[in-house]
Amino acid sequence: PGRYGVGEVEIQDGPLWTDCAQLLYKPPVATGAWIEIPFEVAASEPRRLVLRLTSSYDFGIYDISLDGIVLRKDLDLYAPTTAVNDVPLLDFYPEPGTHTVRLVCQGRNPLSTGCWLGLDSLRLRERRPRVAQYGWDKDKDWRTERILY
């Protein structure tokens, strides 16, 4: 992982996750709990930013940002049974270079026993070929006009 706040980070093995493992962040409390995931972009092409996150009985509520811009607030990752879900965040043309997704714990669901976070993967999914062909939304600045179709 990149950097993180209070708590520990480990690789958790299991059949639910891509390549049978996830990044498990285990903060003891919500205060000071955050994790950053850096990623590289080679070319400015139309992409959809998606996080595959785990929901479980001991997981917290998180805000998600990209390069300091909040994309999702108060994502509750509590669930009575463990599951992995795609969380689509943004359709955009990312600039080449290093970018950072930051997840900041805002607390926990009253039914949750913790503030943990499980990250299966960060994905930059290709959009349909015609999006690039027609340059759809290429002129829009995702920092001021966030789009998710």
Side-chain angles (χ1 to χ4, degrees):
R3 303 176 321 139
Y4 55 93
V6 300
E8 300 174 1
V9 173
E10 66 183 50
I11 301 298
Q12 181 181 26
D13 297 325
L16 288 176
W17 304 292
T18 306
D19 297 327
C20 296
Q22 75 165 340
L23 183 71
L24 181 63
Y25 176 45
K26 304 188 307 184
V29 295
T31 303
W34 56 270
I35 188 165
E36 292 180 344
I37 310 297
F39 64 96
E40 293 292 324
V41 171
S44 183
E45 301 171 322
R47 295 286 185 243
R48 171 170 284 179
L49 176 62
V50 177
L51 297 183
R52 275 188 64 75
L53 297 173
T54 302
S55 311
S56 195
Y57 60 90
D58 53 357
F59 282 34
I61 298 171
Y62 282 80
D63 287 353
I64 305 170
S65 63
L66 173 62
D67 297 338
I69 306 295
V70 176
L71 302 178
R72 181 90 182 251
K73 293 187 70 62
D74 298 325
L75 177 64
D76 189 349
L77 296 171
Y78 166 79
T81 57
T82 303
V84 183
N85 298 293
D86 285 356
V87 179
L89 296 168
L90 182 67
D91 290 322
F92 70 136
Y93 284 76
E95 299 83 12
T98 302
H99 297 272
T100 302
V101 168
R102 182 178 172 102
L103 296 106
V104 178
C105 189
Q106 300 301 313
R108 65 181 179 90
N109 184 303
L111 300 175
S112 179
T113 60
C115 299
W116 291 11
L117 171 78
L119 174 68
D120 173 288
S121 57
L122 181 153
R123 300 173 182 204
L124 284 175
R125 290 195 176 138
E126 289 183 35
R127 306 260 322 272
R128 294 180 180 173
R130 68 177 176 230
V131 174
Q133 179 184 358
Y134 295 122
W136 189 254
D137 294 334
K138 189 173 186 169
D139 58 338
K140 294 186 177 151
D141 182 356
W142 65 267
R143 289 171 191 83
T144 58
E145 188 175 356
R146 288 171 290 290
I147 298 170
L148 180 62
Y149 293 105

